[in-house]
Amino acid sequence: MTAQAAALLAALRQCLGAEQVLCDGDLSAYEIDRRRRYHGRALAVLRPGSTDEVAQVLRLAAAHGVAVVTQGGNTGLVGGSVPDASGAQLLLSLQRLNRVRRLDAANLTLTVEAGCILQAAQEAAASADLLLPLSLAAEGSCTVGGNLATNAGGVQVLRYGNARELCLGLEVVTPHGEIWDGLRGLRKDNTGYDLRDLYIGSEGTLGVITAAVLRLYPQPRAVLTALATCATLEDCLNLLQRAQARSGATLTAFEVMNAQSLALVQQHFAAAALPSMPAAPWTVLLEVSDARNEQHAATLLESLLADAVAAGLIDDALVAQSLTQSRTFWRLRETIPLAQAADGLNIKHDIALPVSRIPAFVVQADAAVQAQCPGARSVNFGHLGDGNLHYNVMAPAGVAPAEFLVANEDAVNRRVYDLVNAHGGSISAEHGIGVLKRDELLRHQSPVALALMQRIKAALDPQGLMNPQRLL
Amino acid sequence: MTAQAAALLAALRQCLGAEQVLCDGDLSAYEIDRRRRYHGRALAVLRPGSTDEVAQVLRLAAAHGVAVVTQGGNTGLVGGSVPDASGAQLLLSLQRLNRVRRLDAANLTLTVEAGCILQAAQEAAASADLLLPLSLAAEGSCTVGGNLATNAGGVQVLRYGNARELCLGLEVVTPHGEIWDGLRGLRKDNTGYDLRDLYIGSEGTLGVITAAVLRLYPQPRAVLTALATCATLEDCLNLLQRAQARSGATLTAFEVMNAQSLALVQQHFAAAALPSMPAAPWTVLLEVSDARNEQHAATLLESLLADAVAAGLIDDALVAQSLTQSRTFWRLRETIPLAQAADGLNIKHDIALPVSRIPAFVVQADAAVQAQCPGARSVNFGHLGDGNLHYNVMAPAGVAPAEFLVANEDAVNRRVYDLVNAHGGSISAEHGIGVLKRDELLRHQSPVALALMQRIKAALDPQGLMNPQRLL
């Protein structure tokens, strides 16, 4: 270790206390990403306990010219939250910055610190009979700060929007170690540039989000789900349009799962599979959240599905008869990523398209993947209502996943992303760019937009110390 | 005119055609703002007909170091869209850039050019049985580009959000004359910094918005309104909370009007007043938009209001029995600003507060205004559901409005805005900053935020030519 690094660590220990500056022992929880694709090494793992301590850390880092990688729950899927292998970057963990600061029921807002686990924030809202609608698979371990830094999506975006739409205000520490207190719980505020939305989704490259004001909603009185099977994606899309027209904002989720997705669940988690549903090319999970009562919700859902059967859009449908059955339907959907993981590595695409382009895209993408690697299996599921597909590609049966990945990942990505681009889509709908998609971003994002982003980065982080090599 | 200015005008005529470079004649429609508080003079009024022509204009302006003020419908209320009095600024009118480029019904999106009149965009959506929910008093003459540049609000924000939330993608010409094509109709897109939201609300100071992809919704099957009278603002707030819990996203508007507002309507537009409603300290206008039918909407509204009467929250209520009666209710609300204008100049505040703080704020603000100028009349109305009040102050009866304004505007603003600040509010909810509120912005916005905004402005508009002296 250089004398300079030693001096920095000494100053950090003085500021945070020695026990919050971790250099030794097993730091793999901080240094390896969730998918275990990136193994980094930090100069130190820092665990500040207050916004002011974060500001002190960033001032020290700026003074020493040392890079800082910020981490919440380390559940990201694009390698954005672990340090590189140099051993020269500071890993700033916000796990201790986890208080619920304030719930204002009449204003429908919740103020939490960045390290607050999403589920804890959900529970704080629920304790006042209110709903924090941000909901995603990692909610038991991801943090609100990470959700905002990556503009997380999830399963209720159709009705409530992404993390961006659920955030009214931020507290941010700039790379210069200044604290911007933008924690306002306002629905309208036109007083200058939209710094809030600039920080949201910037993946820690412009500063550190330390707290946020989140938007809450009244708890719906009844949440009811149904499954329906469709022969084609066009039919799924038609069902979506009918459901939106008929139910307005009552429709809170509209998920699709292809046959291969459900076959994987059957194979690896048979208990989560649903023997009562016939296998079909596509299965839709619909959810309605009703402000009145369960009967009101059931009437809507049943009449919608009956009409869809009559119109030939769906073959079969099943309305959950209880909360337990609703959970069973959701478990089917949520088990797909776990079943994929159990099957081994796969080539993941988290893409968004105009909803109207999805059927054509999938036909073309399936053909392109088969041309590249015959027999590969498309595990295709996601949030059709948001135009967001998790279009993943698995090795053909009998081929080792790791070898398949090495041999095909780049070529498959190229084919899939070129098609996404041709249809006016996005190569990252909700997972962000991180390290994994940086090169693809350079290929697919407009050069004018990239130049604007570079200018903003240089203006706000002139030393280039915040999450370097991420995103840009 | 200098030789340099003459050369610039010659180049502009070559690029746009001489008939689209206006220097002579009555240009007051471009040079005077809607409230007639700012009288500017332009070097020339430019009327490009395409995005490419806008890019050529900005390249010429950059080469000559000449400032450009961008204008849509010139309906803004803060003096942001007219040139200054120097005669040295170019006025860029986007009125001819007014095409509807594309409607994608299955994706629920509409792509329009910036100069498209808001009402024309609404009509394009309606022609496909879809709803563009952005709706405000000036919709017959304001433009979509102006709405986005100022992040306009209006009467349906409670359900659908501001202009920001209704925009999925932008086309922008940068101050360097480059075209950023960000016209993507995606609900999710995490591929870099959120340039879209940075341009939205930046009031033309970072570049020129030339087109946008707007988010549409299925047309509701029934829209029903009701009026209710309340003794206090606390009661209005309680009614709002009940309505939100009971009706979810069906509630599309929740407006309040104080007695003074309605007295003004009665005085100046008696035909718009409602003799059947008893005078009350506060009158609420509720609107529900129902995806099913009128009966369904009426049942909800009637049961909500009956319960509110029983709970002692409201004294009286009237549910519209027809579309015509609904329009009558809205006309009452919409006539308030006209009645104010008929009464003469007044001190306007377009403020936002946490909804929970509004009752306390109004008591304190009324007291502060009376302390400053006894007998002044508070005309207080607005979008309670969004925490957005138009808290306006009129001269005492018998005092000339213009004299009152000169004598009291600064002092009243100071008292009102200091209170807004103390309650965590915003001095500009939906009108923006423009020229009118620049000094107040410097007083009330956080210095850290202002410094960040200055760095962004310098990075994206290094010559400082875009709408100079506006906003920052």
Side-chain angles (χ1 to χ4, degrees):
Chain A
M1 183 180 300
T2 64
Q4 168 112 23
L8 172 58
L9 290 179
L12 288 166
R13 285 195 191 97
Q14 182 134 33
C15 144
L16 302 180
E19 70 284 8
Q20 305 303 348
V21 180
L22 315 180
C23 297
D24 308 312
D26 178 12
L27 298 176
S28 60
Y30 301 101
E31 293 178 332
I32 302 176
D33 79 309
R34 183 189 180 88
R35 290 178 72 197
R36 309 192 70 79
R37 297 191 66 171
Y38 299 93
H39 296 241
R41 199 166 62 80
L43 175 59
V45 172
L46 311 176
R47 294 166 42 90
S50 70
T51 300
D52 200 54
E53 286 185 0
V54 173
Q56 291 179 52
V57 166
L58 293 203
R59 283 198 293 271
L60 283 170
H64 287 77
V66 170
V68 177
V69 174
T70 306
Q71 186 179 92
N74 196 17
T75 61
L77 299 173
V78 291
S81 61
V82 292
D84 68 15
S86 68
Q89 299 183 324
L90 292 169
L91 190 286
L92 181 67
S93 167
L94 297 186
Q95 284 174 345
R96 289 180 60 232
L97 213 67
N98 64 354
R99 289 182 308 146
V100 172
R101 288 198 194 161
R102 180 147 187 269
L103 187 142
D104 182 344
N107 194 42
L108 293 171
T109 48
L110 178 73
T111 307
V112 297
E113 293 181 342
C116 183
I117 300 292
L118 175 55
Q119 192 172 311
Q122 293 168 342
E123 286 166 1
S127 71
D129 200 24
L130 295 171
L131 174 72
L132 171 61
L134 187 63
S135 176
L136 54 150
E139 62 195 23
S141 49
C142 66
T143 63
V144 169
N147 298 148
L148 291 167
T150 59
N151 187 25
V155 292
Q156 305 246 313
V157 173
L158 183 61
R159 161 67 182 101
Y160 300 102
N162 295 302
R164 182 184 303 290
E165 281 83 31
L166 295 172
C167 177
L168 296 179
L170 289 181
E171 179 186 83
V172 169
V173 179
T174 71
H176 303 81
E178 300 156 313
I179 299 170
W180 168 47
D181 177 359
L183 285 177
R184 298 208 271 192
L186 304 175
R187 264 80 189 164
K188 291 181 171 176
D189 182 19
N190 284 345
T191 53
Y193 300 152
D194 183 7
L195 300 175
R196 178 191 65 204
D197 285 313
L198 185 59
Y199 282 107
I200 294 174
S202 66
E203 303 189 16
T205 63
L206 299 177
V208 177
I209 294 171
T210 50
V213 183
L214 302 175
R215 189 196 283 259
L216 305 179
Y217 287 85
Q219 281 278 7
R221 289 302 120 207
V223 178
L224 213 62
T225 59
L227 292 175
T229 55
C230 294
T232 68
L233 258 180
E234 276 90 353
D235 289 342
C236 298
L237 189 53
N238 282 331
L239 179 62
L240 170 67
Q241 290 182 276
R242 271 173 185 251
Q244 288 182 305
R246 286 271 280 267
S247 63
T250 309
L251 186 70
T252 41
F254 194 99
E255 305 279 311
V256 293
M257 306 168 269
N258 76 349
Q260 185 67 61
S261 311
L262 297 187
L264 266 189
V265 172
Q266 174 70 53
Q267 185 182 339
H268 294 282
F269 294 88
L274 276 187
S276 58
M277 265 322 260
W282 294 93
T283 302
V284 175
L285 189 162
L286 303 91
E287 181 188 85
V288 299
S289 298
D290 195 285
R292 286 178 243 185
N293 54 52
E294 196 160 316
Q295 184 50 49
H296 193 254
T299 306
L300 168 68
L301 214 39
E302 281 157 11
S303 107
L304 170 71
L305 293 172
D307 289 358
V309 168
L313 290 181
I314 61 180
D315 299 320
D316 209 347
L318 204 56
V319 177
Q321 295 306 307
S322 64
L323 197 56
T324 309
Q325 201 176 12
S326 264
R327 289 214 185 97
T328 311
F329 291 0
W330 270 116
R331 191 162 67 237
L332 183 67
R333 163 66 182 81
E334 287 159 358
T335 303
I336 299 171
L338 305 176
Q340 280 207 285
D343 217 78
L345 283 172
N346 58 83
I347 308 176
K348 285 193 190 304
H349 306 101
D350 162 45
I351 56 179
L353 295 150
V355 178
S356 51
R357 308 299 280 273
I358 284 183
F361 165 83
V362 170
V363 167
Q364 293 164 19
D366 284 352
V369 166
Q370 289 307 314
Q372 171 66 30
C373 28
R377 294 165 292 166
S378 294
V379 176
N380 190 352
F381 62 99
H383 320 291
L384 186 68
D386 316 318
N388 177 196
L389 293 180
H390 298 300
Y391 183 85
N392 300 338
V393 178
M394 287 171 55
V399 174
E403 284 166 31
F404 174 75
L405 213 68
V406 169
N408 292 289
E409 184 165 25
D410 289 346
V412 167
N413 284 348
R414 182 61 43 94
R415 285 173 182 250
V416 170
Y417 290 142
D418 282 350
L419 266 175
V420 166
N421 223 22
H423 283 281
S426 166
I427 63 163
S428 185
E430 56 180 14
H431 295 171
I433 299 300
V435 180
L436 182 67
K437 296 190 186 171
R438 253 186 89 226
D439 293 343
E440 293 291 349
L441 182 72
L442 295 176
R443 240 179 87 78
H444 293 289
Q445 183 57 280
S446 113
V448 177
L450 284 172
L452 290 168
M453 292 177 196
Q454 299 280 11
R455 279 181 224 146
I456 292 167
K457 169 75 173 175
L460 299 194
D461 179 21
Q463 290 182 271
L465 297 180
M466 306 306 299
N467 275 19
Q469 312 302 322
R470 273 79 182 169
L471 206 161
L472 288 176
Chain B
M1 184 179 300
T2 65
Q4 168 111 25
L8 171 58
L9 290 179
L12 288 166
R13 285 195 191 95
Q14 182 134 33
C15 145
L16 303 179
E19 69 286 7
Q20 304 303 349
V21 180
L22 315 180
C23 298
D24 308 313
D26 178 11
L27 299 177
S28 60
Y30 301 101
E31 293 178 331
I32 302 176
D33 79 309
R34 183 192 182 85
R35 291 178 72 198
R36 308 192 70 80
R37 298 191 67 171
Y38 298 93
H39 297 241
R41 198 165 63 80
L43 175 60
V45 172
L46 310 177
R47 294 166 42 87
S50 69
T51 301
D52 200 53
E53 287 186 0
V54 173
Q56 291 179 54
V57 166
L58 293 203
R59 284 198 292 273
L60 282 171
H64 287 75
V66 169
V68 178
V69 173
T70 306
Q71 186 178 92
N74 195 19
T75 62
L77 298 173
V78 291
S81 62
V82 292
D84 68 17
S86 68
Q89 300 183 325
L90 292 169
L91 190 285
L92 181 68
S93 167
L94 298 185
Q95 284 173 345
R96 289 179 61 231
L97 212 68
N98 64 354
R99 289 182 308 146
V100 171
R101 287 199 192 160
R102 179 146 188 270
L103 188 141
D104 182 344
N107 194 42
L108 293 171
T109 49
L110 179 72
T111 306
V112 298
E113 294 180 343
C116 183
I117 300 291
L118 174 55
Q119 193 172 309
Q122 292 167 343
E123 286 166 1
S127 71
D129 199 24
L130 295 171
L131 174 72
L132 171 60
L134 188 64
S135 176
L136 54 151
E139 63 196 24
S141 48
C142 65
T143 63
V144 170
N147 297 149
L148 291 168
T150 59
N151 186 27
V155 293
Q156 306 243 314
V157 173
L158 183 62
R159 162 67 182 100
Y160 301 103
N162 295 303
R164 180 183 306 290
E165 281 83 34
L166 294 171
C167 178
L168 296 179
L170 289 180
E171 179 186 83
V172 170
V173 179
T174 71
H176 303 82
E178 301 157 312
I179 298 170
W180 169 45
D181 178 358
L183 286 177
R184 299 209 269 192
L186 304 175
R187 263 81 187 162
K188 290 181 173 178
D189 182 19
N190 284 345
T191 54
Y193 301 151
D194 183 7
L195 300 175
R196 178 191 64 204
D197 285 311
L198 185 61
Y199 282 107
I200 294 174
S202 66
E203 304 189 16
T205 63
L206 299 177
V208 177
I209 294 171
T210 51
V213 182
L214 302 176
R215 189 196 282 259
L216 304 180
Y217 287 84
Q219 282 278 6
R221 289 303 120 209
V223 177
L224 212 62
T225 59
L227 292 176
T229 54
C230 294
T232 68
L233 258 180
E234 275 90 353
D235 289 343
C236 297
L237 189 54
N238 282 331
L239 179 63
L240 170 66
Q241 289 181 278
R242 270 172 187 251
Q244 288 182 306
R246 287 272 280 267
S247 63
T250 309
L251 186 71
T252 42
F254 193 99
E255 305 279 310
V256 293
M257 306 169 268
N258 75 348
Q260 185 68 59
S261 311
L262 298 186
L264 266 188
V265 172
Q266 173 70 51
Q267 185 184 338
H268 294 282
F269 295 90
L274 276 188
S276 57
M277 263 322 257
W282 294 94
T283 302
V284 175
L285 189 162
L286 302 92
E287 182 188 85
V288 299
S289 298
D290 195 286
R292 286 177 242 185
N293 55 52
E294 196 160 318
Q295 184 50 49
H296 193 254
T299 305
L300 168 68
L301 213 39
E302 281 157 12
S303 105
L304 170 70
L305 293 172
D307 289 356
V309 169
L313 290 180
I314 61 180
D315 299 321
D316 209 346
L318 204 57
V319 176
Q321 295 304 310
S322 66
L323 198 57
T324 309
Q325 201 176 10
S326 264
R327 289 214 185 96
T328 312
F329 291 0
W330 270 116
R331 192 161 67 237
L332 183 67
R333 162 68 180 82
E334 288 159 358
T335 304
I336 299 171
L338 305 176
Q340 280 207 284
D343 216 78
L345 285 172
N346 58 83
I347 308 175
K348 285 193 192 303
H349 306 103
D350 163 45
I351 56 180
L353 296 149
V355 178
S356 51
R357 307 299 280 272
I358 285 184
F361 165 82
V362 170
V363 167
Q364 293 163 19
D366 284 352
V369 167
Q370 289 308 313
Q372 172 66 31
C373 29
R377 293 166 292 167
S378 293
V379 176
N380 190 352
F381 62 99
H383 320 291
L384 185 68
D386 315 319
N388 177 197
L389 293 180
H390 298 302
Y391 183 86
N392 300 339
V393 178
M394 287 172 55
V399 175
E403 285 165 30
F404 173 74
L405 213 66
V406 169
N408 293 290
E409 185 166 24
D410 289 345
V412 167
N413 284 348
R414 182 63 42 94
R415 284 173 182 252
V416 170
Y417 291 142
D418 282 351
L419 266 175
V420 166
N421 223 21
H423 284 281
S426 165
I427 63 163
S428 185
E430 57 180 14
H431 296 170
I433 299 298
V435 179
L436 182 66
K437 297 190 186 170
R438 252 185 90 227
D439 293 341
E440 293 291 348
L441 182 72
L442 296 176
R443 241 180 85 78
H444 292 288
Q445 184 58 278
S446 111
V448 177
L450 284 172
L452 291 167
M453 292 178 196
Q454 298 281 12
R455 279 182 224 144
I456 292 168
K457 168 74 173 174
L460 298 194
D461 179 22
Q463 291 182 270
L465 297 180
M466 307 306 298
N467 273 20
Q469 312 303 322
R470 273 80 181 166
L471 207 162
L472 287 176

